[in-house]
Amino acid sequence: SVVTKELDCASVSMVQVSNLSKSYGATHALTGVAFTANPGRVTAIIGENGSGKSTLMKLIAGEETPDSGLIAFEKDEDQHSVTLVHQELALCPHLTVAENMFLGVKSGWRFSPRLLEKQATKILVGLGFGNIPTGVRTSSLSVSERQVTEIARAVVRGSRTILLDEPTSSLNQVDKVKLYDLIQTLKHEGKTVLFISHFLEEIRAVADDVVILRDGDCVATGAMAEFEDADIIQHMVGRKVDDLFPRSERELGEVLLKLENFTGEKGIPSNINLTVHRGEIVGIAGLAGAGRTELLRSIMGLRGVQSGSSELPGGKTNNLKLRWVSGTGFVSEERKVDGLSVNLSIAENTTLACRNTFLFSPKLSEFQADHWISELGVKAKHSRQKIRELSGGNQQKIAFARLLESDSDLMLLDEPTRGIDIASKATLYQQMDFAAQRGCGILMTSSYLPELLGVCDRIVVLNRGKLMGIFDARTTNAHKLMQECIA
């Protein structure tokens, strides 16, 4: 039977989940999940894509109904409220910040926009974000400011339990730190905070407790301090993972990419001089607007070049098709926009760059895709399944598999692990290391500095389109890189 109730003791301020199950047809999203989230503490919900994290949050928030189990909340004099802040924010872009914050809240018979804005400002100041203008439309705000507005709305409602589903997935490092501070504020106010994230470092930065899901089952719970990174990944995937960031000893080979005074359209990036060798992984760090994506897309021929030269496998051509044929592969930051053909199958996407040979056949395509499904641990029914039916992490694995299948010498990877779970990241890190061992060269961007420090040999820092420096990843640190990013 399904039970959702309030606990009898008014002093109790927690969320108790007992034997919670939810199925969608033949798919078991959650099976007998049980844990307790306590007040004044942050509980991280960790698991692979498809493990049931978001389903769990929706059930706790009351957006969906469980098939069986118990969700118990504190007893509150007013109606107990739970607020779920989705990864895809649910604000009204045509309304002001203040109007969004107080949307659905009784304001009495007299309504004053000026008073509403004053109250909203007071709340934002208390949360440490008094710089956000409350009288402007939310459509004009940055992603991080919209994220804060959504959380502030939960505070206005008096929510004692706040659920955050990947709140930092679209934020740069500076805005992430601000959000961490906001979460600590909520925690010190006695809120019960549940937090989904794919970043182990930020989980350690904000979480007190952890709940680990695998295939809909709760496989481990406890204090965050009790778990090593390797333990978390092992619980998530069901097998031992020795090192999240494998970095083998590799010898540098010939130069695969050479940029000289390279300047993209509208001057971003500007005057870049850079080389990437065989057997080397080079990372690109920088804040939003630094020119990281523009650099990769200009190199690949997806964006115009204003001046300078670029030498890649196949010569100095700027033709996109010739880039692929000559051994340069590209993974887009926006996989659903221009990184994958979501209406095509796994097999068609995996072999897309190799389909112009007379030896190509659908059967061969499926055979090759089956190999990468097994090699990368892609969760799929079969290679004929449509890409759009896969989780984000599995879609990203297929985007990377295309480069492996086309035997790319030079890989240009734009945020290759954005939005995917820790276990999927571990798989991609390992494959990148294998590729570098084989003699590939990799140039990648990432907003996640620990990823760059863990995976790369050298790290390039861009700031407003300009190259600030190139650092040895083994001897530098996140603080030094951030100093260059904001200089």
Side-chain angles (χ1 to χ4, degrees), residues 20-37:
L20 197 65
S21 296
K22 178 68 176 179
S23 296
Y24 300 94
T27 302
H28 300 293
L30 294 173
T31 307
V33 171
F35 67 92
T36 298

mmCIF file of all heavy atoms in Angstrom, residues 20-37:
data_model
loop_
_atom_site.group_PDB
_atom_site.id
_atom_site.type_symbol
_atom_site.label_atom_id
_atom_site.label_comp_id
_atom_site.label_asym_id
_atom_site.label_seq_id
_atom_site.Cartn_x
_atom_site.Cartn_y
_atom_site.Cartn_z
ATOM 1 N N LEU A 20 10.202 2.128 -0.551
ATOM 2 C CA LEU A 20 9.560 2.889 -1.623
ATOM 3 C C LEU A 20 9.834 2.233 -2.983
ATOM 4 O O LEU A 20 10.987 1.952 -3.328
ATOM 5 C CB LEU A 20 10.090 4.320 -1.625
ATOM 6 C CG LEU A 20 9.270 5.353 -2.376
ATOM 7 C CD1 LEU A 20 7.918 5.549 -1.710
ATOM 8 C CD2 LEU A 20 10.026 6.683 -2.429
ATOM 9 N N SER A 21 8.758 2.010 -3.751
ATOM 10 C CA SER A 21 8.895 1.371 -5.066
ATOM 11 C C SER A 21 8.069 2.116 -6.104
ATOM 12 O O SER A 21 7.008 2.667 -5.803
ATOM 13 C CB SER A 21 8.428 -0.094 -5.012
ATOM 14 O OG SER A 21 9.249 -0.847 -4.150
ATOM 15 N N LYS A 22 8.590 2.130 -7.335
ATOM 16 C CA LYS A 22 7.890 2.774 -8.442
ATOM 17 C C LYS A 22 8.297 2.107 -9.747
ATOM 18 O O LYS A 22 9.487 1.910 -10.015
ATOM 19 C CB LYS A 22 8.233 4.265 -8.500
ATOM 20 C CG LYS A 22 7.591 5.025 -9.659
ATOM 21 C CD LYS A 22 6.095 5.127 -9.519
ATOM 22 C CE LYS A 22 5.474 5.961 -10.622
ATOM 23 N NZ LYS A 22 3.998 6.057 -10.507
ATOM 24 N N SER A 23 7.296 1.730 -10.549
ATOM 25 C CA SER A 23 7.550 1.109 -11.848
ATOM 26 C C SER A 23 6.829 1.873 -12.937
ATOM 27 O O SER A 23 5.770 2.473 -12.701
ATOM 28 C CB SER A 23 7.091 -0.355 -11.856
ATOM 29 O OG SER A 23 7.838 -1.126 -10.942
ATOM 30 N N TYR A 24 7.407 1.850 -14.129
ATOM 31 C CA TYR A 24 6.774 2.396 -15.324
ATOM 32 C C TYR A 24 6.669 1.245 -16.313
ATOM 33 O O TYR A 24 7.636 0.918 -17.011
ATOM 34 C CB TYR A 24 7.596 3.538 -15.910
ATOM 35 C CG TYR A 24 7.786 4.697 -14.965
ATOM 36 C CD1 TYR A 24 8.923 4.780 -14.158
ATOM 37 C CD2 TYR A 24 6.832 5.700 -14.868
ATOM 38 C CE1 TYR A 24 9.102 5.841 -13.285
ATOM 39 C CE2 TYR A 24 7.002 6.769 -13.992
ATOM 40 C CZ TYR A 24 8.142 6.835 -13.205
ATOM 41 O OH TYR A 24 8.319 7.881 -12.336
ATOM 42 N N GLY A 25 5.516 0.593 -16.339
ATOM 43 C CA GLY A 25 5.380 -0.602 -17.158
ATOM 44 C C GLY A 25 6.285 -1.697 -16.626
ATOM 45 O O GLY A 25 6.259 -2.032 -15.441
ATOM 46 N N ALA A 26 7.141 -2.236 -17.506
ATOM 47 C CA ALA A 26 8.057 -3.305 -17.099
ATOM 48 C C ALA A 26 9.346 -2.775 -16.484
ATOM 49 O O ALA A 26 10.175 -3.557 -16.004
ATOM 50 C CB ALA A 26 8.388 -4.186 -18.305
ATOM 51 N N THR A 27 9.517 -1.459 -16.487
ATOM 52 C CA THR A 27 10.739 -0.853 -15.957
ATOM 53 C C THR A 27 10.567 -0.525 -14.479
ATOM 54 O O THR A 27 9.675 0.237 -14.098
ATOM 55 C CB THR A 27 11.084 0.433 -16.724
ATOM 56 O OG1 THR A 27 11.234 0.135 -18.111
ATOM 57 C CG2 THR A 27 12.374 1.035 -16.199
ATOM 58 N N HIS A 28 11.433 -1.091 -13.649
ATOM 59 C CA HIS A 28 11.401 -0.829 -12.208
ATOM 60 C C HIS A 28 12.349 0.335 -11.903
ATOM 61 O O HIS A 28 13.558 0.167 -11.847
ATOM 62 C CB HIS A 28 11.821 -2.079 -11.434
ATOM 63 C CG HIS A 28 10.931 -3.259 -11.676
ATOM 64 N ND1 HIS A 28 9.614 -3.301 -11.262
ATOM 65 C CD2 HIS A 28 11.162 -4.426 -12.315
ATOM 66 C CE1 HIS A 28 9.068 -4.446 -11.612
ATOM 67 N NE2 HIS A 28 9.991 -5.152 -12.269
ATOM 68 N N ALA A 29 11.774 1.519 -11.722
ATOM 69 C CA ALA A 29 12.595 2.706 -11.464
ATOM 70 C C ALA A 29 13.166 2.691 -10.058
ATOM 71 O O ALA A 29 14.325 3.066 -9.846
ATOM 72 C CB ALA A 29 11.769 3.975 -11.689
ATOM 73 N N LEU A 30 12.364 2.254 -9.072
ATOM 74 C CA LEU A 30 12.796 2.157 -7.677
ATOM 75 C C LEU A 30 12.234 0.879 -7.078
ATOM 76 O O LEU A 30 11.088 0.510 -7.343
ATOM 77 C CB LEU A 30 12.311 3.361 -6.854
ATOM 78 C CG LEU A 30 12.878 4.735 -7.183
ATOM 79 C CD1 LEU A 30 12.144 5.805 -6.385
ATOM 80 C CD2 LEU A 30 14.373 4.800 -6.922
ATOM 81 N N THR A 31 13.044 0.219 -6.250
ATOM 82 C CA THR A 31 12.617 -1.038 -5.630
ATOM 83 C C THR A 31 13.013 -1.044 -4.161
ATOM 84 O O THR A 31 14.187 -1.205 -3.817
ATOM 85 C CB THR A 31 13.264 -2.253 -6.335
ATOM 86 O OG1 THR A 31 13.006 -2.171 -7.742
ATOM 87 C CG2 THR A 31 12.686 -3.560 -5.797
ATOM 88 N N GLY A 32 12.045 -0.839 -3.282
ATOM 89 C CA GLY A 32 12.275 -0.957 -1.846
ATOM 90 C C GLY A 32 13.306 -0.011 -1.279
ATOM 91 O O GLY A 32 14.085 -0.388 -0.387
ATOM 92 N N VAL A 33 13.335 1.245 -1.740
ATOM 93 C CA VAL A 33 14.328 2.222 -1.273
ATOM 94 C C VAL A 33 13.976 2.697 0.135
ATOM 95 O O VAL A 33 12.816 3.008 0.429
ATOM 96 C CB VAL A 33 14.408 3.416 -2.238
ATOM 97 C CG1 VAL A 33 15.265 4.531 -1.660
ATOM 98 C CG2 VAL A 33 14.956 2.962 -3.589
ATOM 99 N N ALA A 34 14.975 2.767 1.006
ATOM 100 C CA ALA A 34 14.760 3.212 2.394
ATOM 101 C C ALA A 34 15.960 4.024 2.873
ATOM 102 O O ALA A 34 17.108 3.609 2.683
ATOM 103 C CB ALA A 34 14.540 2.010 3.305
ATOM 104 N N PHE A 35 15.682 5.190 3.474
ATOM 105 C CA PHE A 35 16.725 6.002 4.095
ATOM 106 C C PHE A 35 16.056 7.118 4.889
ATOM 107 O O PHE A 35 14.846 7.353 4.781
ATOM 108 C CB PHE A 35 17.679 6.602 3.056
ATOM 109 C CG PHE A 35 17.039 7.620 2.150
ATOM 110 C CD1 PHE A 35 17.061 8.977 2.463
ATOM 111 C CD2 PHE A 35 16.407 7.230 0.977
ATOM 112 C CE1 PHE A 35 16.472 9.919 1.643
ATOM 113 C CE2 PHE A 35 15.815 8.164 0.138
ATOM 114 C CZ PHE A 35 15.835 9.510 0.479
ATOM 115 N N THR A 36 16.853 7.845 5.685
ATOM 116 C CA THR A 36 16.369 8.994 6.451
ATOM 117 C C THR A 36 17.241 10.200 6.138
ATOM 118 O O THR A 36 18.472 10.108 6.158
ATOM 119 C CB THR A 36 16.413 8.712 7.963
ATOM 120 O OG1 THR A 36 15.556 7.611 8.266
ATOM 121 C CG2 THR A 36 15.952 9.925 8.752
ATOM 122 N N ALA A 37 16.592 11.335 5.842
ATOM 123 C CA ALA A 37 17.294 12.602 5.634
ATOM 124 C C ALA A 37 16.976 13.509 6.815
ATOM 125 O O ALA A 37 15.806 13.797 7.079
ATOM 126 C CB ALA A 37 16.857 13.245 4.326
#
